[in-house]
Amino acid sequence: MIEALKKSMYNLIVETSTKLPKDVRRAIAAAKAKENAGTRAAMSLATITNNIKMADENISPICQDTGMPTFKIKTPVGVNQIEIKKAIYWAIEEATKDGKLRPNSVDSLTGANSGDNLGAGTPVIKFEQWENDYIDARLILKGGGCENKNIQYSLPCELEGLGRAGRDLDGIRKCVMHSVYQAQGQGCSAGVIGVGIGGDRTTGYELAKEQLFRSLDDENSNEQLKELEEYVMENANKLGIGTMGFGGETTLLGCKVGVINRIPASFFVSVAYNCWAYRRLGIKINAATGDVTEWLYQEGEEIDFSEQAEQAEDKVANKTREVVLQAPITEEQIRELKVGDVVTINGMMYTGRDAIHKHLTTNDAPVDLDGQIIYHCGPVMLKDDAGNWKVAAAGPTTSIREEPYQGDIMKKFGIRAVIGKGGMGPKTLAALQEHGGVYLNAIGGAAQYYADCIKSVEGVDLMQFGIPEAMWHLKVEGFTAVVTMDSHGNSLHADVDKSSLEKLEQFKEPVF
Ligand SMILES: O=C(O)C[C@H](O)C(=O)O
Ligand code: SF4
C-alpha cells in the first residue's frame, strides 16, 4: 500500500507541475483566439502556448516557480493520514531531486533553502474525512508572483476608481473588479480569481483558494454568485490589462466565488489570484491498494498547441522592430531602444533576484557587470552525471520587488539592461533615463521556452543564497523580450495602469 501510495503522489506532483489541465488549456486557447495577430498580447500568448507544449514534451515544469505545494485530501473513515503524509513527503523530495519541482522552501529568518521542499509549513497538507470509500487527493502549485497579488478587503471601504464599497453584493462586486485592476500584469495575467466572501481573515482566504479547485467550466449553484461570476468575467475583461499587462482582450480566464457566514463586525472579501500557469490536478486513489483509479479535471476536449503557436509567432515577426543585443552593451545602443521594440539577446546574462539585489547594495559584484544584463530569474537547475549544471526551467520573476534597489544597482555597477516581468516603478524609470538603461519584459511562466534559449551555464556565484537566489552566469541564444520601459521616460506599465484605472471608473455605478 505505502509503495503504491508514494508512486501515486509522485505522479500527481509531476503531472501537476508539467501538464496544464484541460479546462485551463481551453481557456487559454479561447483567449488566444480573441487577440489580433501582430499585437503584443498575441505574441505573448504564442510564447505561452508554445511553452505549454514544450512542458508536455519535456515532462518539465511549466513555470520555474513551484509555488507553495498545497494538497487537499479527503479520506474514508479509518484511513491512516500519517501514512499519506509520509508518502507525500517522500514524493516531494523525489520530484525535487528529479527537477520537477524547484527547491522552494526557505527559512524565513535565516534565508536558508532546505533544498528538498520540506520544512516548517511546507508543503501544505489539509485533510478532511468523508463518507466515500476512496481517497480524493488534489494538488495546486500556486506561484509566488500571483500569491503576492492576493488581496483581502474589509467592507465598507473606499476603492480607487470605484468609490465606496458597502456591505452588500454590489460592494463585493466592486472589490472583485478592483482586485483584477490592482494585480495588473504582475501575477502573470491572464489570471483566474478565487473569491471568498465572509469568514474571518484566515477562513476567508482559505475559501478563496478553495475556489481554485473548481473546474473553470462549472456553474455556481448559488444564483446570485453565478450572476456575479458572469458579470466579472464579462467586465473585468474590458479593463484592457491583457496578457502580462501588455494590454489586450483577455485579462481574466476565470472567476469563481464562494460564500460562508461571517460575524457581525467583520465583512471580508478575499481574493486568491492565480496566474495563467494554473497548475492544479487531482486523483482518486483506491484506499486499500494506494493505486490511482482516476485522474480528475479530465473532462472535455484536449488542446495541444502545436500548430497555433507557430502561426502566431510568424505573423508578429513581420510587424515589430527587432533589435539584436549582445553584452557588453553601450549607452548609445540602449538609448536607441524604445518601448515596443522586440529585443533578441545573444551572449551572456546574469541572474539576480531578491537576495542578490539586497547583497549588491552593500557588497561588490562577484563579476564585472559593466554593460551587462541582469535577469530577474530563479531557475530550476539539475546537475548532470559529469557534475555540470543544466537549466531545467527559467522564466522571469516579478521585477517590482527589486524596485527599492534596482536603479541604484544599475548605476553602481554600470548594468545596462534588466529582464523580468510585470514592470517596475517610477524610481527605476527615472534611473533608466538618467543612467541609460532599459527594462525588458519576458513572458512570465514561459520557463521551458526560455530554458531552451540558454545554451550553457558558464558559472555560478553566491550559492549560499540557494539555487533560486544564486547568481547564475547564463549564455543565451535568441532570448526574446519586449522593451516595456526605455531610457526616454516611457513605461508601458505606467500607461496600462493609467488606462485600466480610467476603464475601472465605468464600473462605479451600482449593478446589484
Ligand atoms: O519565484 C519565481 O520564480 C517567480 C514568481 O512566481 C513570480 O511570479 O514572481
Ligand atoms: S512566474 Fe508567473 S506563471 Fe510562474 S508562478 Fe509566478 S506568477 Fe505564476
Side-chain angles (χ1 to χ4, degrees):
M1 154 84 179
I2 183 76
E3 285 312 310
L5 198 57
K6 283 176 170 176
K7 203 168 141 239
S8 300
M9 290 303 178
Y10 180 85
N11 290 340
L12 173 63
I13 294 166
V14 174
E15 284 287 301
T16 308
S17 175
T18 61
K19 206 165 185 326
L20 273 194
K22 287 184 179 178
D23 57 339
V24 180
R25 286 169 190 256
R26 287 193 294 268
I28 292 174
K32 196 158 171 249
K34 281 196 203 127
E35 300 295 347
N36 292 320
T39 57
R40 278 186 289 265
M43 183 190 85
S44 311
L45 281 160
T47 304
I48 285 171
T49 53
N50 210 354
N51 185 74
I52 296 169
K53 190 186 68 172
M54 290 170 86
D56 286 342
E57 287 165 3
N58 305 341
I59 318 179
S60 275
I62 295 159
C63 173
Q64 76 288 339
D65 185 8
T66 288
M68 176 67 91
T70 302
F71 292 84
K72 292 251 178 182
I73 318 255
K74 290 184 182 148
T75 58
V77 178
V79 162
N80 185 339
Q81 298 184 346
I82 297 169
E83 291 286 301
I84 297 180
K85 240 186 202 174
K86 281 188 196 153
I88 291 176
Y89 289 158
W90 177 88
I92 285 271
E93 217 178 329
E94 281 304 297
T96 310
K97 267 190 226 150
D98 295 345
K100 311 296 181 189
L101 297 177
R102 184 176 71 185
N104 239 23
S105 177
V106 178
D107 185 307
S108 297
L109 296 180
T110 65
N113 191 313
S114 73
D116 57 7
N117 271 313
L118 302 178
T122 52
V124 176
I125 308 173
K126 290 196 175 137
F127 286 105
E128 205 183 300
Q129 278 191 336
W130 69 353
E131 304 275 357
N132 293 323
D133 63 356
Y134 62 90
I135 302 168
D136 179 302
R138 297 181 192 224
L139 168 64
I140 187 164
L141 298 171
K142 181 174 186 293
C146 57
E147 184 68 12
N148 292 348
K149 297 319 290 184
N150 288 4
I151 188 164
Q152 191 165 56
Y153 300 90
S154 176
L155 291 175
C157 63
E158 201 69 39
L159 298 169
E160 50 188 335
L162 294 168
R164 185 163 53 240
R167 290 186 153 194
D168 50 28
L169 191 59
D170 203 61
I172 295 166
R173 172 191 70 87
K174 286 188 177 179
C175 294
V176 179
M177 291 298 287
H178 183 267
S179 74
V180 178
Y181 157 72
Q182 63 85 41
Q184 290 291 302
Q186 288 169 10
C188 291
S189 56
V192 175
I193 51 170
V195 180
I197 303 169
D200 60 16
R201 287 208 184 267
T202 309
T203 58
Y205 261 138
E206 266 175 10
L207 179 67
K209 209 161 185 179
E210 179 73 35
Q211 302 307 306
L212 296 175
F213 282 102
R214 285 172 51 192
S215 163
L216 285 178
D217 308 315
D218 76 357
E219 251 190 19
N220 204 315
S221 53
N222 176 314
E223 201 47 47
Q224 274 181 307
L225 298 187
K226 178 172 172 248
E227 268 177 46
L228 178 62
E229 288 175 359
E230 284 167 2
Y231 171 90
V232 173
M233 282 308 290
E234 187 187 333
N235 293 297
N237 280 320
K238 293 180 189 158
L239 293 175
I241 296 165
T243 311
M244 294 315 299
F246 287 169
E249 302 301 319
T250 306
T251 299
L252 213 51
L253 299 171
C255 171
K256 300 289 165 189
V257 187
V259 63
I260 50 177
N261 284 8
R262 58 182 180 86
I263 51 174
S266 305
F267 198 134
F268 297 112
V269 177
S270 313
V271 183
Y273 188 98
N274 206 107
C275 50
W276 67 261
Y278 181 23
R279 292 155 287 170
R280 58 106 173 83
L281 272 177
I283 44 177
K284 287 185 184 176
I285 299 173
N286 181 315
T289 66
D291 292 316
V292 176
T293 58
E294 192 182 325
W295 284 85
L296 305 171
Y297 305 104
Q298 298 307 314
E299 301 80 28
E301 190 198 350
E302 163 102 51
I303 295 181
D304 104 33
F305 287 104
S306 346
E307 281 164 33
Q308 293 167 316
E310 279 141 31
Q311 279 170 9
E313 265 177 335
D314 285 352
K315 280 178 199 152
V316 175
N318 303 332
K319 288 205 176 181
T320 32
R321 192 168 84 112
E322 252 189 276
V323 185
V324 178
L325 281 186
Q326 177 143 10
I329 308 165
T330 63
E331 185 178 345
E332 291 68 47
Q333 280 175 293
I334 288 298
R335 298 240 181 239
E336 271 174 27
L337 293 172
K338 303 236 158 42
V339 164
D341 290 344
V342 174
V343 168
T344 303
I345 300 159
N346 298 326
M348 291 304 297
M349 61 175 69
Y350 299 87
T351 66
R353 50 181 292 166
D354 310 74
I356 299 276
H357 279 78
K358 181 165 178 284
H359 177 85
L360 291 180
T361 52
T362 48
N363 291 278
D364 261 350
V367 288
D368 182 6
L369 291 174
D370 197 21
Q372 299 296 326
I373 304 168
I374 289 289
Y375 182 23
H376 296 159
C377 168
V380 181
M381 302 297 290
L382 275 177
K383 240 185 194 162
D384 67 15
D385 294 339
N388 299 318
W389 287 107
K390 298 280 284 178
V391 180
T397 191
T398 319
S399 303
I400 195 72
R401 298 194 306 270
E402 316 317 335
E403 179 69 4
Y405 309 111
Q406 195 67 78
D408 296 340
I409 285 173
M410 288 185 88
K411 286 188 229 163
K412 179 173 170 188
F413 296 102
I415 297 160
R416 289 286 168 213
V418 292
I419 310 170
K421 58 114 173 160
M424 302 193 72
K427 195 169 170 220
T428 304
L429 190 61
L432 296 178
Q433 193 160 16
E434 191 191 320
H435 161 70
V438 76
Y439 177 83
L440 304 170
N441 205 119
I443 309 303
Q448 290 307 309
Y449 181 84
Y450 292 113
D452 194 52
C453 301
I454 300 169
K455 297 305 165 193
S456 61
V457 180
E458 303 280 298
V460 58
D461 285 300
L462 301 167
M463 258 305 246
Q464 67 266 35
F465 296 141
I467 285 180
E469 299 275 349
M471 180 181 271
W472 296 95
H473 309 188
L474 307 176
K475 195 173 200 174
V476 306
E477 221 176 271
F479 187 111
T480 306
V482 186
V483 177
T484 53
M485 293 166 68
D486 63 23
S487 62
H488 311 285
N490 305 307
S491 164
L492 175 70
H493 308 283
D495 294 349
V496 171
D497 193 324
K498 188 165 170 277
S499 67
S500 57
L501 182 60
E502 281 161 18
K503 289 180 183 136
L504 186 67
E505 283 164 8
Q506 345 157 36
F507 304 111
K508 208 174 177 154
E509 295 311 315
V511 175
F512 293 116

